[in-house]
Amino acid sequence: MNDVKNTTKVPHLPTDIPFNGEQKQWLGGFLAGLHTRLLVKEEGVNNQQTATAVALKPLTIIYGSQTGNAQAVADDAQEMAKEHGLTVNVIDMDDANLQDLAKCERLLVVTSTYGEGEMPDNAQALWDDISSDGAPSFENSYYSVLALGDTNYDGFCTAGILWDERLQALGAQRIADRVDCDVDFEEPANQWINEALATIAQKGSSASGEQVSASQKKPVKSKFNRQNPLSAELITKKPLTQPNSSKETFHYEFSLEESGETYEAGDALNVVSTNRETLVNDLLALFNTSGEIVEPYKGESLTLKDIFTNILEIRTPSKDLIAELALRSGDEKLTSLVNDTNKEALNDFLWGKDTTDLLRLYPQAQFSVAEFIALSKPLAARAYSISSSIKHHKQQVHLTVANVRYKQNDREHHGVCSTFLADKAVVGDKINCFFSPNKSFSVPDNSNAPMIMVGPGTGIAPFRAFLEERVATKAEGDNWLFFGDRNSETDFLYQEEIETMQSTGLLTRLDLAFSRDQSEKIYVQDRMLENAKELFAWLERGAYFFICGDAYRMAKDVDKALHKIIEQQGGLSSQASQEYVNQLKKQKRYVRDVY
Ligand code: NAP
C-alpha cells in the first residue's frame, strides 16, 4: 500500500548568508513553513492518487427517522466510516429503491420506532416493499441494524427488530448484533457504529456496481448535545392561557446570543431540567433515608439528593422497575398486567401514577436504594417543538409548553420539565438545552406550495414557526391552519398573532375547534370533514399536510379523517385512498410531529 508519510524537514540554511541570528531564525521558519505547505500540496496529490489506486469500499446506510435522531446517527456513521476505508451513501428510506438495495454488499440500517411499535413515516413504503412476498434476495449483503426506541412505549424498538429479522430471512448476513437503544442512545449508538463499521469494512469485495443515490447536503452539526448542553438565558416567560382556564400553557423565549447556534422551523429544543424538590423529598422519605447519604453511581460517589434531583428519572417508573415490583411483591394483578402481551390494561392501571405511588402501593417489594438506582432510567431531556423562526426572531428560540399538573391518590403530581420551567425557572436564568433537527418536518422548499397545518393545543407551536418563516422568506404559498383547544375565552393560544395573520392574508384559511365551548365536543378533524371538498382540492394542487400535537388520540383521529376525505372526495376505495396517503408520505407532503 502506498503509505504517504509526512517527511517534513526544516530546510538547511547556508552559514554565509548576510542575515543576523534573529533574521536567520525567522527566515528558517518561513522557509520551513513554505516547504511544509508545498509538501502538503504534494501529499494532497499523492493522496488523491492513493484514493483512486486503492478503491474505497462502498457502504450504504439507510435510515427510518421520525424526529431526526436516526438520521443524525446515520450521518455520524457516515463521518466515521472514512477511517475504515469506506465510502458511504446515507439514504432516507423513502428515497431507497428496494431492488438497488438488494445489490448492496454492505448495508447498515438505522431506524427509530414510531408510536407503539410502528414504522416511522419515511420508512413505511420501503417496509411494505421488503416485507412483501415479492421482495428480492439479500444473500449477497452483509448488514447490521441499530434500533432507536423508548422503553416507556410498547413495541420498544419494534421497527429495528422487524428490519433485522426480515433482512436475515431474505438471506443477508448479519455482521454485528442489533443494538436496541433507549432514549439515551448516544453511547450505545456510537459503540454500534464503531463495531459495525470495523467489521463490515472487512467484508465483501472492494468495488461493487452499487447504484445508490447521492447523499443529501448535510447541515452544519451543532457542538451542543445531551452531554454538552448549551446554556441559554431565559428572556421571556408568559402564560398563553387565561387565569380562569382549566389548563395552563406558557410561552418561553431563550436567547441564543453568542452561542452561534441556529435551527430550522420544525426542529425541537431539548430542555434539561431537574426533578422537583418535593418529589425528591417524597422518595427520600419512602426509603427512610437522607439526601446527604452518598451512593455510587457510574463510578462516582454522589449524594442521593444529587442523584434524585439531577440524574435519575424518578417520576415515571421504568419498565424494569415495574417488572421487578411485580416479581418482588408477588401481587397477582400486577403480575398478570405485566405479563399480558396486550399492554393496554397495564397502561390504564399506570395512568397518572408516578414512581412514588407505585412504591407505596407495593411496600412488600422492599427495594434498597442501590437496587432502586440500578432499576431506574437516567433523567432524559424533554423535547419541545420550537414555536419560532430564527429568521423572524433573531438569535432567539421560543417554546410553547402545557403544564402537566393533576391530583391523584391524594398527591399533587407535576410534569418534570413543564413545571420546572413554569415554577422554578425565572427570567435571567440560564437553562441547559440542545437542538434536535427534524429535517422532514419543515416548511416546503417550494415557497408557492400550499400548507395545511393541523395543530390543536401545543400542536400550534411549529406552525407559528412555519408561518413566521413564510413571512420572513416572503413565501407566497397558501396557508390553512386548523387550531383547537378547550375554550375560546381562555385557551386561544397566540390569539392576537393568529388573528393578525388572518387579517393580513398570511393565513388563507383559519378553522377553529374549541372542544368545550358547547355541550358536544368539536375537534379539529370535525372542521376538516366540514371542509372536505376544499381540503381535497388543496391536496390535489400539491398541498403539504402537517399534524402536530397529541399522538395517542388526536393524530390517529385526524389521520382517519384525512383518509375519509380522500376516499369520499376522490371517489377512491379504501385501499386506493391508503395508496394516495402513502404517496403523500413518500413525497414528504404528509408529515407528523406528534408526542
Ligand atoms: P390537549 O389539552 O390535550 O388538547 C387540545 C385540544 O385537543 C383540546 O380541545 C382537546 O379537547 C382536543 N382533543 C382531545 N382529544 C382529541 C382528539 N381525539 N382529536 C382531536 N382533538 C382532541 O392539548 P395540549 O395542551 O397540547 O396538551 C397535550 C398533552 O401533550 C399534554 O398532556 C402535554 O403534557 C403533552 N405534551 C406537551 C408538550 C408541549 O407542551 N409542547 C410536549 C410533549 C407532550 P378535550 O380536552 O376537550 O377533549
Side-chain angles (χ1 to χ4, degrees):
M1 183 177 154
N2 288 336
D3 195 0
V4 184
K5 293 237 162 63
N6 187 343
T7 50
T8 312
K9 285 184 194 137
V10 177
H12 179 70
L13 282 179
T15 46
D16 56 347
I17 51 169
F19 297 116
N20 64 28
E22 205 179 317
Q23 284 169 327
K24 273 187 197 168
Q25 204 182 350
W26 178 85
L27 192 62
F30 171 76
L31 288 175
L34 194 65
H35 188 70
T36 309
R37 260 188 256 167
L38 287 172
L39 269 177
V40 169
K41 223 174 155 191
E42 274 170 30
E43 271 185 31
V45 173
N46 286 344
N47 274 340
Q48 274 170 19
Q49 285 165 351
T50 310
T52 43
V54 180
L56 296 172
K57 291 181 172 182
L59 164 70
T60 299
I61 306 178
I62 53 171
Y63 65 85
S65 196
Q66 193 73 31
T67 61
N69 287 337
Q71 185 174 4
V73 173
D75 289 346
D76 286 349
Q78 180 180 32
E79 290 206 353
M80 290 159 72
K82 290 171 208 151
E83 293 164 22
H84 296 270
L86 294 161
T87 169
V88 181
N89 253 310
V90 174
I91 307 178
D92 182 327
M93 285 195 184
D94 253 346
D95 298 334
N97 173 293
L98 186 64
Q99 300 301 329
D100 289 345
L101 218 54
K103 292 182 196 136
C104 293
E105 257 192 303
R106 283 163 290 268
L107 176 66
L108 295 182
V109 179
V110 183
T111 183
S112 61
T113 294
Y114 168 68
E116 315 266 325
E118 293 158 49
M119 290 287 157
D121 282 339
N122 79 322
Q124 191 60 51
L126 188 67
W127 174 249
D128 290 346
D129 280 357
I130 200 170
S131 53
S132 72
D133 290 343
S137 161
F138 275 71
E139 60 189 12
N140 294 322
S141 304
Y142 296 99
Y143 83 100
S144 183
V145 175
L146 180 79
L148 301 185
D150 182 341
T151 45
N152 278 330
Y153 287 85
D154 292 337
F156 172 61
C157 287
T158 298
I161 294 168
L162 289 174
W163 268 95
D164 192 19
E165 289 171 353
R166 186 61 182 155
L167 282 168
Q168 201 183 34
L170 292 173
Q173 294 176 56
R174 189 190 297 121
I175 54 93
D177 283 345
R178 187 189 71 246
V179 172
D180 295 342
C181 304
D182 204 349
V183 282
D184 47 342
F185 61 87
E186 285 88 350
E187 212 182 299
N190 269 332
Q191 279 169 9
W192 173 83
I193 292 175
N194 279 319
E195 189 194 338
L197 289 177
T199 316
I200 213 162
Q202 307 304 319
K203 303 284 181 189
S205 57
S206 291
S208 57
E210 290 175 14
Q211 295 289 311
V212 280
S213 57
S215 305
Q216 291 156 359
K217 216 173 132 212
K218 305 283 174 324
V220 182
K221 217 176 157 191
S222 167
K223 62 176 183 284
F224 298 106
N225 52 38
R226 230 167 272 261
Q227 285 78 34
N228 173 38
L230 162 73
S231 178
E233 186 180 338
L234 175 62
I235 50 173
T236 301
K237 166 178 175 173
K238 60 183 180 195
L240 292 168
T241 42
Q242 299 302 316
N244 54 338
S245 169
S246 57
K247 60 192 286 195
E248 258 175 33
T249 304
F250 274 53
H251 173 80
Y252 299 93
E253 299 180 359
F254 302 89
S255 169
L256 297 177
E257 267 177 33
E258 289 163 27
S259 69
E261 280 296 90
T262 189
Y263 61 89
E264 298 292 333
D267 289 352
L269 185 73
N270 303 275
V271 177
V272 179
S273 62
T274 54
N275 285 309
R276 206 178 177 85
E277 202 180 345
T278 50
L279 194 64
V280 172
N281 291 339
D282 281 354
L283 204 56
L284 287 170
L286 206 70
F287 282 106
N288 197 18
T289 186
S290 143
E292 300 314 312
I293 299 287
V294 172
E295 281 284 336
Y297 186 82
K298 292 197 174 170
E300 283 185 84
S301 292
L302 303 172
T303 64
L304 275 182
K305 188 173 178 192
D306 186 14
I307 296 176
F308 286 175
T309 306
N310 302 306
I311 295 181
L312 291 187
E313 171 61 66
I314 60 166
R315 196 178 113 72
T316 307
S318 71
K319 286 252 153 89
D320 287 348
L321 181 73
I322 298 164
E324 196 62 25
L325 261 177
L327 198 71
R328 291 191 183 200
S329 68
D331 184 88
E332 274 180 30
K333 185 182 164 205
L334 184 62
T335 306
S336 84
L337 288 174
V338 166
N339 294 336
D340 194 343
T341 45
N342 178 358
K343 294 289 171 224
E344 221 173 297
L346 176 65
N347 289 341
D348 286 348
F349 167 74
L350 292 174
W351 184 254
K353 295 186 182 72
D354 69 3
T355 299
T356 305
D357 290 330
L358 281 182
L359 292 176
R360 280 186 185 176
L361 265 177
Y362 305 101
Q364 69 276 34
Q366 297 277 339
F367 290 99
S368 69
V369 176
E371 287 168 336
F372 173 78
I373 291 173
L375 288 164
S376 299
K377 286 176 44 163
L379 179 60
R382 279 12 185 204
Y384 296 102
S385 312
I386 293 169
S387 53
S388 54
S389 157
I390 199 161
K391 298 188 181 83
H392 194 78
H393 302 278
K394 302 278 180 242
Q395 300 193 319
Q396 288 184 10
V397 57
H398 299 180
L399 295 183
T400 309
V401 181
N403 299 336
V404 175
R405 300 182 200 274
Y406 58 93
K407 194 169 181 178
Q408 188 168 310
N409 304 327
D410 283 335
R411 283 185 60 234
E412 298 287 347
H413 289 69
H414 304 269
V416 175
C417 194
S418 63
T419 59
F420 162 80
L421 287 171
D423 301 343
K424 194 156 188 242
V426 292
V427 168
D429 279 0
K430 298 276 190 165
I431 304 294
N432 285 340
C433 54
F434 58 96
F435 290 95
S436 287
N438 188 353
K439 288 165 220 167
S440 52
F441 198 83
S442 57
V443 178
D445 287 341
N446 174 0
S447 60
N448 290 317
M451 296 198 298
I452 303 169
M453 296 160 280
V454 183
T458 50
I460 185 67
F463 303 136
R464 177 178 183 260
F466 281 18
L467 289 162
E468 288 182 351
E469 184 92 2
R470 282 215 139 170
V471 176
T473 57
K474 299 190 170 59
E476 292 191 340
D478 287 342
N479 300 307
W480 187 347
L481 176 67
F482 289 90
F483 172 70
D485 216 316
R486 291 182 182 172
N487 296 101
S488 55
E489 282 289 304
T490 52
D491 311 317
F492 194 161
L493 313 182
Y494 302 110
Q495 178 170 7
E496 253 183 68
E497 287 183 25
I498 289 174
E499 285 175 351
T500 306
M501 287 173 182
Q502 193 182 24
S503 63
T504 57
L506 175 65
L507 273 177
T508 321
R509 285 211 55 163
L510 171 65
D511 282 275
L512 300 168
F514 288 100
S515 53
R516 303 188 189 184
D517 273 2
Q518 57 289 307
S519 53
E520 291 284 298
K521 290 270 171 108
I522 296 177
Y523 290 148
V524 279
Q525 61 271 26
D526 298 316
R527 298 296 186 220
M528 284 168 56
L529 290 164
E530 283 165 21
N531 295 284
K533 192 169 171 207
E534 198 173 349
L535 199 149
F536 186 68
W538 277 52
L539 290 178
E540 286 287 279
R541 66 183 174 92
Y544 283 63
F545 187 84
F546 298 98
I547 308 179
C548 182
D550 168 63
Y552 287 101
R553 293 156 304 144
M554 184 277 293
K556 287 180 184 152
D557 292 348
V558 168
D559 181 76
K560 270 191 216 139
L562 181 70
H563 278 82
K564 194 168 169 187
I565 289 169
I566 292 168
E567 209 174 307
Q568 285 176 353
Q569 299 298 318
L572 300 174
S573 65
S574 79
Q575 202 187 341
S577 90
Q578 183 59 56
E579 185 45 37
Y580 190 106
V581 171
N582 286 347
Q583 280 307 316
L584 288 179
K585 285 185 184 169
K586 206 166 169 152
Q587 295 162 10
K588 304 272 184 268
R589 285 176 48 214
Y590 176 20
V591 247
R592 297 181 282 184
D593 171 15
V594 293
Y595 31 81

